[in-house]
Amino acid sequence: MADKDEDTPQLSGVNAGDIDLSDETQDFRFLSNLSFSGTDLPKIPKRGEKDFEPHATSLQSSTLAASRAAMHSALSIPRIHPPKTHIMATYDPDTNMAYVDKIKSQHFQTIGKFFQGKEWLLPEEALFMLERGSLDVRWPVLRTADEDENDSNSLGVPMSLQGAYAAFIGMECGVGGKLTLEMYNVYAGLKRAGYVVLRSGSWNNERGALDFTNLAKLDAREATNKFWNFRIFAEIWEMLLTRKSDGGAERLALGPLITPGLYRTYDDIYRLLQIIPNHNRRSPPTFSLPADSSNPFHVTYHIYKPTGKFRKSAPGPPDYRVAVVNARETSVPTMAQLSDLLATTPYDPPSASSQLYQRLKHGSRNIILAIVDQGIPSYIRVADASFSDEKLYERQARGSRGKRGGFGRGRGRGRGRGR
Amino acid sequence: MADISVQEPFPISLIANRYLLFDVNIVTYARREHNICGVLIGTIPHLSQQNIFLGIPLELMPEEARLLVEKGHAYIVEDVESHKSGFLEMSREERLAFLQVMDKQGRETALSNKKKAEERSEKALQRKGLAGKAQESSPRVSETAELNTRAYTDADAETSLFDLPSGTASPIFSQNSIALEPYFITPTTSYPPLPIPPTTPTLSLPDVPRTYPLFAHLHSRGYFMTPGLRFGCHYTVYPGDPLRFHSHFLATGADWDEEFNLLDIVGGGRLGTGVKKAYLIGGADTSSKDSRSGGYSDVGDGVRAFSIEWAGL
């Protein structure tokens, strides 16, 4: 069994495309294979080029030594700034941010904020720029009385990577005041993947604001749709023939649920059978928990797909919202926590043209939880699946409302049965 | 590679309650000598567009930090305080001295980079010489070769432009009349200018979760461990260095008398078998250590572990 495993590098039954290379530690010797220049797609090492277990052969140990040497040399790549691309920033201990006097890099299209003549970088922005070797952050100079502002020797000492972590993560009590290493892990990971990452607006508050976007718009659109619908006569006809589903408390208390009478469609009967009230996802959201800054679940970052049109002054609505969670300190969110978290995201219904399963998966509101376990983030998308909005008996009616009714039975069977 | 060694005990930085290593030699050394992998969380400079290979710093699990400290290989250093006092209140003399050191390093880097550029252009010239021989047979080749060299000489002209002191950009350095402007370097660690902190064990041992006995047990048997949330467990356990081996076990730690759902075994077992690993549950018998420890495990930590595999798949 073991020998067999050694010879089958790929996991059987798993497509190569499904494999997440960052799931496991990869051999650093393949780092040199990664090419990011030119038109070639980056060559990413194949998974499975590892051994099953050590068997103390010198071949194996020399391969391991080579891998470790490759790792060592990759990790020792220095951060050097040629004078041409040198960008210098100064650390500001009061805000725990850094400011750049002169910006000259396209990175600043997506990071930084211009304030009082300087470009200010948030802790995670400054730390990431320093870490990727694009920014030279200097410690502020302790000025003594006899020193001149314009002294030629007034340069601060360069901040080391270690110093940057100590400062931007460890001394974090300035603006926002809540950057944790987990948040930075997620930030850096997403930035490396190419996304534009901005802080959500709620960093200074105890909790995020309720999000009413799309709800008002939705109501207006529905009203106009109703008014200008071509099938307005069909609607009237339908209204005349449709049984009212609210038979009153008496019907629910005593039954029968379906009173004898004339039913033109099965929909009417199903509607009468629906006795459990359900949450209307289009109603404005409310919080169920009191405001509490110790609640670990709040939207941390807004994620934008990289497009040329992005402007940091007017970023617009984000593509994704991420809440960063520490795996070791936080457990699974309670229903109330989750619903409060989702209330701070906008109403985002699935597109009408997609399939039922896709619509359910998409949900009405959604959030991505980034769960960080000791530096390794896992992303989980949580959506409010609106089962009550996706009525199976209405499924067929979409697009051909006028012809509804009649032989609903035959259709229903056809769909429901076959497997 | 094997010659890289550091003096023990080595410092582990404690920043915002996380244990980090910044020295690449320590990272390599701990991996080689102590089977401690940690998780690389940093960005490798100039390879910052990918998430597969990450760099310094290395984040250690509290378990790993605790193990290293308990065995006397390492000690914990409060980084924030030392940086606050070391850099924010740095005296003028210290600052200038360190700037001078950095200046010297930058100059060396600039020099070596220049050398490399020269080597490159020399190679290009050599190629041109070869192309020159082939000129008669294929004029087109020589044309492109010439274009190439022109590009190279252009690049050279650019570098020589930088090499002139620009005067205002770095006033300190321009006083020296060397025609090479130093590069700026962001060091990885803060030692120097900070002195390597003393080894007095003032800080308490790292807080570890209750799965620590299992971790220590597996570590003592030569296994390598990394955080296991991705596979729904506490640790993924490797028989050797994860650089070269796939993991064998998905380990979940439990207390000795802890009750858990049978479904956990089913779930873990199915998942583990699905990714060609075995699910492993283990815990330490803390109640009657003396009587049991000898019987079950020769290490004497009272830990027993069970691996669960889906048979017949």
Side-chain angles (χ1 to χ4, degrees), chain A residues 250-271:
Chain A
E250 195 187 340
R251 179 177 68 89
L252 292 178
L254 302 170
L257 281 176
I258 299 159
T259 44
L262 176 69
Y263 293 93
R264 290 264 307 158
T265 74
Y266 274 97
D267 293 8
D268 298 339
I269 297 173
Y270 284 126
R271 228 167 271 135

Side-chain angles (χ1 to χ4, degrees), chain B residues 31-287:
Chain B
R31 192 176 192 106
R32 192 187 66 216
E33 297 296 322
H34 302 306
N35 294 7
I36 293 292
C37 302
V39 178
L40 290 164
I41 59 170
T43 311
I44 300 178
H46 313 300
L47 288 167
S48 53
Q49 307 266 326
Q50 44 89 32
N51 270 313
I52 299 163
F53 296 105
L54 296 183
I56 300 280
L58 182 91
E59 181 172 355
L60 293 175
M61 290 189 275
E63 293 91 316
E64 293 173 314
R66 166 88 165 241
L67 198 116
L68 286 173
V69 173
E70 269 183 356
K71 300 234 161 119
H73 302 311
Y75 61 103
I76 310 288
V77 176
E78 188 75 71
D79 253 19
V80 178
E81 281 316 308
S82 63
H83 279 79
K84 256 187 190 158
S85 58
F87 283 106
L88 291 179
E89 288 145 34
M90 191 178 230
S91 76
R92 187 184 146 86
E93 289 72 36
E94 280 176 291
R95 196 184 84 228
L96 292 184
F98 183 59
L99 278 176
Q100 221 156 31
V101 172
M102 293 309 294
D103 180 33
K104 190 160 165 273
Q105 276 184 26
R107 223 172 276 283
E108 279 162 11
T109 319
L111 204 68
S112 74
N113 265 37
K114 199 184 169 208
K115 259 186 201 155
K116 269 183 206 157
E118 273 167 7
E119 273 169 27
R120 266 204 305 274
S121 65
E122 212 162 281
K123 267 184 195 162
L125 282 173
Q126 273 177 1
R127 246 179 281 151
K128 196 209 165 191
L130 286 174
K133 280 176 193 167
Q135 208 164 22
E136 287 150 351
S137 53
S138 60
R140 222 178 242 176
V141 172
S142 72
E143 214 171 290
T144 48
E146 209 160 37
L147 271 176
N148 278 344
T149 29
R150 204 176 298 150
Y152 272 108
T153 40
D154 276 357
D156 275 1
E158 253 175 7
T159 33
S160 60
L161 254 183
F162 300 130
D163 295 343
L164 294 172
S166 56
T168 48
S170 52
I172 328 167
F173 314 125
S174 61
Q175 289 160 0
N176 305 330
S177 55
I178 303 169
L180 199 65
E181 197 177 343
Y183 282 22
F184 297 93
I185 297 175
T186 299
T188 309
T189 65
S190 300
Y191 322 118
L194 295 188
I196 290 184
T199 57
T200 41
T202 45
L203 287 167
S204 55
L205 283 172
D207 277 337
V208 285
R210 59 202 175 85
T211 53
Y212 180 65
L214 177 68
F215 176 89
H217 174 75
L218 291 171
H219 183 268
S220 71
R221 299 304 185 88
Y223 286 99
F224 288 67
M225 262 134 322
T226 58
L229 186 74
R230 287 206 169 154
F231 294 103
C233 58
H234 290 126
Y235 314 106
T236 41
V237 184
Y238 293 79
D241 193 316
L243 283 176
R244 290 298 310 147
F245 303 101
H246 290 302
S247 61
H248 282 191
F249 300 108
L250 307 177
T252 298
D255 288 336
W256 190 254
D257 285 322
E258 186 182 333
E259 291 187 7
F260 53 85
N261 284 326
L262 191 62
L263 274 179
D264 290 352
I265 294 184
V266 177
R270 296 290 303 215
L271 187 138
T273 312
V275 294
K276 295 215 163 185
K277 304 178 200 316
Y279 185 59
L280 187 142
I281 300 180
D285 182 7
T286 46
S287 55

Side-chain angles (χ1 to χ4, degrees), chain A residues 22 72 81 131-132 153 160, chain B residues 28 43 48 95 184 190 230:
Chain A
S22 49
H72 187 85
H81 312 273
E131 192 175 78
R132 78 190 296 285
N153 287 350
S160 66
Chain B
T28 305
T43 311
S48 53
R95 196 184 84 228
F184 297 93
S190 300
R230 287 206 169 154

Side-chain angles (χ1 to χ4, degrees), chain A residues 5 8 11 20-31 34 36 44-45 47-54 60 63-65 67-69 71-72 74-84 86 91 93 128 130-133 135-136 138-142 147 151-163 165-166 169-171 181-182 185 189 192-193 326-329 371 373-378, chain B residues 1 4 13 15-18 20 22 24-25 27-28 31-32 39-57 59-63 79-80 83-84 87-90 92 95-96 98-99 102 109 113 158 162 171-173 175 181-191 209 224 226-231 233-235 238-248 274-277:
Chain A
D5 279 348
T8 50
L11 297 178
D20 182 5
L21 282 168
S22 49
D23 253 3
E24 278 195 4
T25 314
Q26 296 298 316
D27 193 335
F28 269 76
R29 285 182 303 145
F30 298 115
L31 182 62
L34 285 173
F36 294 96
I44 287 167
R47 204 175 108 122
E49 296 177 22
K50 297 182 182 179
D51 294 339
F52 179 71
E53 61 189 355
Q60 213 175 32
T63 322
L64 177 61
S67 294
R68 284 176 170 167
M71 178 175 170
H72 187 85
L75 295 190
S76 357
I77 297 177
R79 291 169 175 80
I80 52 173
H81 312 273
K84 186 183 169 193
H86 182 230
Y91 175 67
F128 181 67
L130 182 143
E131 192 175 78
R132 78 190 296 285
L135 188 70
D136 183 5
R138 299 298 174 113
W139 291 96
V141 175
L142 188 73
E147 248 180 306
D151 187 359
S152 62
N153 287 350
S154 67
L155 226 59
V157 292
M159 184 183 263
S160 66
L161 182 71
Q162 182 177 9
Y165 271 84
I169 306 280
M171 304 178 194
L181 192 58
E182 284 73 39
N185 288 154
R192 281 191 292 261
N326 181 342
R328 293 220 171 173
E329 289 167 9
I371 298 148
D373 182 21
Q374 299 299 306
I376 303 180
S378 310
Chain B
M1 224 345 259
I4 291 164
S13 300
I15 296 172
N17 218 12
R18 302 281 177 271
L20 301 170
F22 288 94
V24 61
N25 290 334
V27 169
T28 305
R31 192 176 192 106
R32 192 187 66 216
V39 178
L40 290 164
I41 59 170
T43 311
I44 300 178
H46 313 300
L47 288 167
S48 53
Q49 307 266 326
Q50 44 89 32
N51 270 313
I52 299 163
F53 296 105
L54 296 183
I56 300 280
E59 181 172 355
L60 293 175
M61 290 189 275
E63 293 91 316
D79 253 19
V80 178
H83 279 79
K84 256 187 190 158
F87 283 106
L88 291 179
E89 288 145 34
M90 191 178 230
R92 187 184 146 86
R95 196 184 84 228
L96 292 184
F98 183 59
L99 278 176
M102 293 309 294
T109 319
N113 265 37
E158 253 175 7
F162 300 130
I172 328 167
F173 314 125
Q175 289 160 0
E181 197 177 343
Y183 282 22
F184 297 93
I185 297 175
T186 299
T188 309
T189 65
S190 300
Y191 322 118
F224 288 67
T226 58
L229 186 74
R230 287 206 169 154
F231 294 103
C233 58
H234 290 126
Y235 314 106
Y238 293 79
D241 193 316
L243 283 176
R244 290 298 310 147
F245 303 101
H246 290 302
S247 61
H248 282 191
V275 294
K276 295 215 163 185
K277 304 178 200 316

